[in-house]
Structure formats: C-alpha cells, structure tokens
Amino acid sequence: MAKVALSPYVGGLPYRWMESVTAARTLTKFDSGVIFHTAGATAAVAITLPAIADGPFYFLILSGADVDLTVTAHTADTAITYGDVAADSVA
C-alpha cells in the first residue's frame, strides 16, 4: 500500500496523502484527510468508515478501477453522501 505525500492543504482541504486500497479495509480516525483510490484493484473493494463517535472525519474515496466499490458507515445513518445526509452505505 504505497502512500504518495501531498502538501498539507490542497484546494483548501486538509489532505495528507493518497493511498491505494485494493481489498477490504476498515478506516480509523487516523485515516481522516487521506485520499483513497482503488487503482490496481482486481476484485471488489469494501471500505468501512470509523464510528462517528470518534469523529469528525473527512475522506475522499475515488473509484479508479473497473471493480465494485462499496463504502459503508460503521454506524447506520451517519454517512453524508451526495443527496443523502443519513446514508448507511454507497455502492
């Protein structure tokens, strides 16, 4: 899992680095601010967000491979997505 260092702020947002996710992964509060992408994945990728009680968090997750990508909130109805402020998951 290679990390690509970025400047502390990109476009006014606090990014730390880019990281490839090619298999199932559960994020932690220490992953907040990381840009995740699926480039290089050859099978479905499932990402679970940390519990909202540990937050607040900011994650940017990009689909960069022709595989299924599912992002699931650890706690139901707590993820904010396009068009849904109480999402359980995005697939």
Side-chain angles (χ1 to χ4, degrees):
M1 185 170 2
K3 295 180 180 178
V4 178
L6 298 174
S7 62
Y9 290 89
V10 176
L13 299 173
Y15 294 134
R16 296 186 305 175
W17 54 69
M18 288 187 79
E19 191 170 324
S20 178
V21 179
T22 58
R25 172 142 180 213
T26 299
L27 303 181
T28 70
K29 62 183 178 181
F30 302 109
D31 293 317
S32 184
V34 175
I35 303 170
F36 293 97
H37 62 86
T38 61
T42 58
V45 175
I47 298 174
T48 303
L49 301 175
I52 194 68
D54 295 336
F57 307 110
Y58 177 83
F59 299 103
L60 178 59
I61 301 170
L62 306 171
S63 179
D66 188 15
V67 298
D68 291 337
L69 169 63
T70 303
V71 180
T72 304
H74 180 270
T75 308
D77 299 327
T78 58
I80 298 173
T81 65
Y82 182 76
D84 189 350
V85 295
D88 294 329
S89 66
V90 177

